[in-house]
Each structure stands twice: as structure tokens, then as C-alpha cells.
Amino acid sequence: MITGLQGMEGKLNESMLAGLYEDIHLIKGLFILMLYTSPHCCFANFSQAKELIYKIKEGLPKGTFIGAIGVDLNLDFTVEPPFLFNLPQKKVSEQYVNLNNTNGELYTSATEIDRETLCPDNAEGQQCVLSLDVFVLPQQYFQLIKVKIFIEDVNDNKPKFPVNEICISVPENTPINARYAVEQSAVDPDLGLYGVQTYWLVNDFGVFTLDVEENDGGELTPFLIVTGALDRETQAEYITDIIAEDGGTPPELGAATLKIVITDVNDNCPQFIQSQINVTLHGNTTKGAHLARLHALDPDLGANAQISYAYSERVPRDTRSLFHLDKIRGTLAQATFYKLTILANGPGCIPAVATVTVNIIKVVTGPPAVIPRYIAPEKDGVVTIKESEPAFSPIAFFTVKNIDVNQRVDCHLEGTGPFRLGPYKLLKNEYLLETTEALDYEKTQEYELIVVAKNTQGILIKTFLKVQVLDENDNAPVFDQALVKISVEENNPPNTFLTQLQATDQDSESRGQVIYLLGGDAPGIFLVDRVTGVLTVATSLDREEKETYRFIWTRGHPGMESIATVVLTVLDRNDNSPRFINKDFTFFVPENFPGYGEIGILSVTDADAGENGWVALSILNGSDIFLIDTGRGTLRAKTSLDREQQGTYQLWIEAVDGGEPALSCITLVTVLLLDVNDNPPIVLFPQSNQSYMLVLPNTLPGTSITEVYAVDKDTGMNAVIAYSIIKRKGGEPGSFDIDPETGNITLKRELSNRGLYSLLVKVSDHGQPEPLYSTVMVNFFVNETVSNESYIQSLLTREADIEVEERPWYVGQMREGPERYELFPCQLVLIVLSVICVVLFSLVVTLISYICCKRFKKHRKKSSEVEIPLKKNDSKYVVNRKLRQISNI
């Protein structure tokens, strides 16, 4: 009884130590996990690959959040272009997780993660890790992120025995507290607390109990303990159920039938000299190589001492197939890590147990393997990359595997093109393929590359890769002509074809299909076909309205367009008649104007150009007196003109252009001759200096005796006549007075003497600058009758001096003696009016000349020009003159 209690106490201490050891392992694992998940351990420095660690439980449903890569990397999601996240290991990663490409959030996928399936070879204390590589794109933000997801175990598996029935042979002479190992112990894929924790019997029959032992590897083995005496003859076997229970809440149970067979006894049993054997071998060890020799001794003799070696039932069948156990000698011949339990069986003895641990050192004998993981889009070994991607854009990762520790592998790139292959940062056997400069589709559309891996043994592995460059709209179309000059005659019909431009675009497919457009400066009357580039004009053009059109012609998409300048010249047609600037012309010229002097200039224009705008002038009537200079439009008189002969001339002038057929117009020119004081007054009465008039002696003073009558062919002031007495003969001074306006002679004094009286009368006009005048002798014979006319005639012809009265005609007659001289009032008014008229006329002429000169200069500056050909003998007009402004004077 005391011995039993001591054994239980030892077992209890062993259980406590095992629990304490398990707690230490858990604390150590938590410490390592905290170390990995701390912010300082999530990343290496920025120049190295970054690593993120997440922890989840197995069996989570689809869509369960795992972690946010972008947030954990402290990425700025406001940048442009935005970040993209990509899993290159599509087949492996998408089986368990889904990655949001825009924010980098990880979620569980439709397939639940089973830790036991994912990590079937993990031993107790080892973590189950799902490792992922995540690319952070686009290329300018590229990073390779190593993501580790630790899968935590849950109690989702029941303990299970390897067989449904376990058979144990117990000798009948087995002592109390004898222990028999239940070799077919239950297996629970779960780890730790969720693994098998204890065993118990449904029925112990009062002679049996179960105890559990834990070995150094943490495995629990149930032991059947005999608690009572056994008698094979009383009962040869006992059948009950053995229950395996895990540590879950509630616990999961597994059961198997336990059959206890009571056998005949053999006092001594085999014992192994070594119960724990460790063997290490290389993975390339040849078949049949000797691994270990197990020695078991049995002091019995004969058949009871015969020892046979066999595998324990807990050694899996596939493991058994890798090694050969000599059942007689106990030698092993040829597997990573294997744990073999060997039994040494003796007749009627409890089998001795020895454990052989085989560690396999992996030996790589095959060639290296190159595993590509593509960053750029890939299909069937063809990678596509846009030509707009910048230099040093990543294309693919190449991982070299199957490499021995002591081997060195050289990985390089063969082929031409702007590419390079080099180790990625500090990661071993990771190579990044990237561009070295921007690609150009127009130069090269496709590259063939070879990634070559060569080990120290000279074995070459080649991975072929084809890179296709995707075309982008990076070339603007180019016009055949940057400056297009075209011409069309005016008055064209609507929708007239003008030209068609051609342009080429180096881009391919739809990127090279561009449209033709007119620039914003193009008038709306011009239309262009967006596809063919045919340029038409929708309306009829008028050269006189606008002669040249200049506008821009574009071709291409916005941002990728080229420009051509179109210069359209409208050619002239003779569709405009010459036009005089005035409906009619009136010229004022003084009479006696010298022959071929310039009377005036006729201004004429023609809106047409070239020969159609050349104008020839001709006089339709009066060409015998006048002529016109067709070059300048100057009107001249062939001879001097006399107003007194004809004061007004009306001429019809025709203007004819040089077009075919010629067009013309007619204007009326009126030439008015201004009077010049070129005619002295003509005395009509008295008719001669020899005529006389009989005056009676008793004529009273104040009586009008006669009058002098004269006319002047001039007009205006030149025809205003003034009369004055400048000489006399006979009679007293002041006897006669003459009216300066009417020429009426009045007797002022009584005639005291009879006889002949003679007065020299001056008849003068008011012309400028010097008045013209005539004189006439007025004779009076004072007597009652004319008795001797011949006597009178003799008196008239007698030469005698006549006393001159010193009085100007404009002062008037002055009476002699007591009479006072008076200024004739009308004469002063006429003088003042004459002076005012002359001054006004001069001002008007000066003002008109000034205005005409200003207008002439203004038109010359505007360069509005017309060509008026000179008429030659062959009637051909070959003059080219600029438009003149011809002013009327």
C-alpha cells in the first residue's frame, strides 16, 4: 500500500513538472510572438524587405478580417496614383486569404484554414505559419512585403486511436502494479491543451487501472496497471473500452476497444541495452545502408530467451516502408525526421521498448530551380508592360530553390534590351527583373529574355521570358506640310473642295486613329471631314470682302495633336465695276486758265485686283476742247477758256476696267469758269466823242441834261461800273455833276455863256487787282438853236486843252466855290462789300485746299490703291499705279 502511494506521488510530481514545462514553453512562445508583433519588429529598416506578422485562429469563416497591410505600413492613401496591393502566389494564397487590392486589407477566403491540414508535420511547440509575399504597387511605390500569419489551434479534433481494437497480452503471474504500455495510443491533431490529456477505462473489472506518462517529446502514453491478481484459468481475457480525453471545454473524447489477453508466463523478459538511440544520416544515403544495431538481452534460456524485434504499432506504415528492421538481429537500414519505436519481444515477456530517432540531413543533388513570380501582367510566359512605364519598373521576381547550403548559384540575364536582373536588397536567392530605361513601342515591340541559373557543378537552368511592350498614345500625328497654301477663285459655288491634308501617326491600332479639327480661329464657313481631312468652304467667297484667310488645322486627340497652318488666298474675278468717288464732279476754274493746266482730278476706284482693277478714263463728249490723263485722272483744257464765250461745260467721263469682259461706269463733270476782269466797260451812249447835245441857256440848275450809259462783259464786281468827270472844257468848274452809279449828268449852275462845253467822263469797273476803265467825251452846245452845225463840228474837232478835275471816281463830284464836296454813300458800301467778298472767297479757297490735302494724305496712308492704265496707240493699258485720292477744287 505504501509502495502504491509512493508511485502515485512520483507520478503526480512528474505531471506537475510536465505542466510547468508546458507553461514555460507557452510563455516563451508568447514572448517571441510579442517580439515579432511589436512595431519595432514588424519591419526591417527601409532599405530591406519589410515583414508583417498577424495571428488568427483556425477555422474562421469567410470574410474574417486578418489585418490591414497599408495601415500597418503607415502608407499615405492620399497620394496619386493610388497604392495597389497584389499577391503573386495566386494559387496558394487565394486558397486561404483574400487581399483587397486598394487598401491592403486581408480577409479569410471561402476555404476555412485547418491548422492540421496546413501544417501536418508540425511538432508540439512549433508554430503553424502561412507565409505570403505581397507586392505594393504601382512601380514608383514598389515594395516587397513578407507577411506571416500564425495559425492558432482550436479544439476541433477528437482524439482517435489508430485501431478500433487494442489487444494487450498480460501474463497471469503479473505482479500487482505491473505496467503495460498501450502502444496504440490515441492521436489528437490539436496541440497543447487541446491534445490528448488523459485516458480512462470504462470498466476496470477491479483488477486494472490506467496511468499516463509523458515522454521528453511531450507525447502521452497510457499504461495499463494491474491492481489485482490474475488467473488465466479463471478468466482468460477482459474486454472494455479505453477512453482518450483532450483538454478542451467541453472535452472531446475518443474510444477504442481494449482487449486484455491473459497469457502464460515467462519469468524473464528482454531488456534493451540502450532504450534511446539517435541516428543522423544524409538525404542521399544509398538504399540498404546500415543505420543502427539494437541489442536486447534475455537471461532466460531456450525458447523463452528467443528475442524478436518488431516495430511498435505507433510507427506509421509509410515510415516502416522506408526502413528495414532485421527481426532477428535488430539492425535498421534506411527518411527528414523519423521516430521509430522498436520492441524486443521475448517468449511470454513484456516487450522491451527502444526508440530510434533518425535525423535526415537534406542533400541537394538535382539542379537549381528558378521560380518566377510576376509583378507585371503575365499570361503563358508572356509579360506585358506599357511603354509609358518609367525606368526601373519592376517586372518579376525570380526565386532560386533546390540549393545546397555549400553551393553557390550564379543567376544572370541573357538577351538584349533595357533590362537587368539583380539580387533584391538583402534577401537571399531572390532576384528582381526590372527595366533600366523607358520602353518605346515604336522602336521595339517585343523582347525575348532568358534567366540563367548556374550552380558550382556547372548545371544550367534556363527560364525563357517574353516581354511585350504595350503601345500607348504617346506620339502626336505629323502633317506632311506644316504650312499649306491654297487658292480659290471668288464667287465659288457652296461646298467647294479646297484641299485634303495627310498626316501620319506612329502609334498603333486605335491610338493611331485620330480626327481632323479646325482651330478656334477658323471662320465657321470652313468645314473639315473629321476622318478624311477634306477641307471645304460652305459659302461663296468674296475677295473684295476678304482676300486672305489664315487659320489653324489640328489633328489628333487632346494632348496628342499636331498643327498645320492653312493660308487660303481668294483669287480675283472681274465682278466689280469701276466707281467714281462722287456721283458727279464740279470744278471751278478761272477764265483765261492756261492751256493743259490742271482743271481737276477725278478719283475712281475698282475693288478688283490686277488687270481687273486697272481703270482707263475717257471723255465721251467735248474731247475737242478737253482731255483727261488716264493715269492720274487729271482733267485738262486744250486751250485757254473764255467765260464770256461760254461759262459752263458739261462732260461725260467713262471709266473702263481691264477685265474680260470689261466693266465700266459714267460720271458727269461740270466745269464752271470763274470771271476774270479782262474786259473794260464799253460806252454805248454817247456813241462817240464827236456827238453833242443842245442845251438851252435858260436851263435851270438841277436839271438832268443827259446820261452816260456803259456796259461791262464781265460779271460780279468786275461788271460794276462807276462814272466820274475827269476833264472839262468851257464853263465854270462845278457846273456839271455826274451820278457815279447811273451816269446821269445834272446841271449844277446856270449857264452864263453860250457855246460848246465838253466833259471827259471816265467809265471804270470794280475789278481787282486793278480796275479797267474807258473814257468818253460828252459835248454840250449851249444855245437856243443849232443854226450852224458845221461850226459846231469844227469846234468839236478843234484841238484844245481840257482842264482836268483832280477828283477820283470813288470820291464823287466836288462842287467848286461855295458848294461842298460830298462822298457818294452807295459807292462806299460797294467798296466795303467788294473787299469782304474777296476776303471770304480767299478764305473759302484756302479752307477747301487744306481739307483736300488732308484727305489726300489720309487715303495715301491707307494705301487703298487702284491701277489706272495709260492708253497707248495700241489701246493696251500697261500702267500699274496706286490708288489716288483725287480732290475737287
Side-chain angles (χ1 to χ4, degrees), residues 442 473-481 501-509 511-516 531-532 555-556 560-563:
E442 286 71 34
N473 190 24
D474 59 343
N475 289 279
V478 178
F479 282 101
D480 295 340
Q481 295 176 278
L501 281 190
Q502 297 294 330
T504 57
D505 194 319
Q506 294 182 359
D507 292 323
S508 62
E509 299 178 353
R511 290 167 292 276
Q513 297 175 359
V514 293
I515 57 176
Y516 293 89
V531 178
T532 63
R555 184 178 192 226
M560 282 294 173
E561 58 186 17
S562 60
I563 295 176

Side-chain angles (χ1 to χ4, degrees), residues 201-210 224-225 227 238 240-241 260:
L201 295 175
V202 175
N203 187 358
D204 59 4
F205 302 103
V207 293
F208 299 102
T209 187
L210 283 180
L224 181 67
I225 302 175
T227 60
Y238 297 86
T240 185
D241 289 334
I260 306 171

Side-chain angles (χ1 to χ4, degrees), residues 4-17 177 179 209-213 223 225:
L5 289 173
Q6 289 175 349
M8 291 181 66
E9 183 179 0
K11 294 174 184 177
L12 182 61
N13 290 336
E14 291 176 358
S15 300
M16 291 177 64
L17 290 173
N177 293 328
R179 302 168 67 87
T209 187
L210 283 180
D211 188 17
V212 179
E213 290 184 5
F223 283 84
I225 302 175

Side-chain angles (χ1 to χ4, degrees), residues 52 54 63-72 77 84-87 97-108 132 134 149:
L52 295 177
Y54 300 105
T64 301
F65 176 77
I66 298 175
I69 296 175
V71 174
D72 293 339
F77 284 93
L84 294 176
F85 301 84
N86 186 25
L87 284 170
V97 297
N98 288 331
L99 175 64
N100 188 311
N101 292 332
T102 58
N103 56 25
E105 293 181 352
L106 279 171
Y107 298 87
T108 58
L132 305 173
V134 177
I149 303 176

Side-chain angles (χ1 to χ4, degrees), residues 14 64 161 191 332 392 408 583 660 784 826:
E14 291 176 358
T64 301
F161 289 89
L191 297 177
L332 280 172
F392 307 107
R408 186 178 64 85
K583 183 178 180 181
E660 288 292 339
E784 287 77 6
C826 292

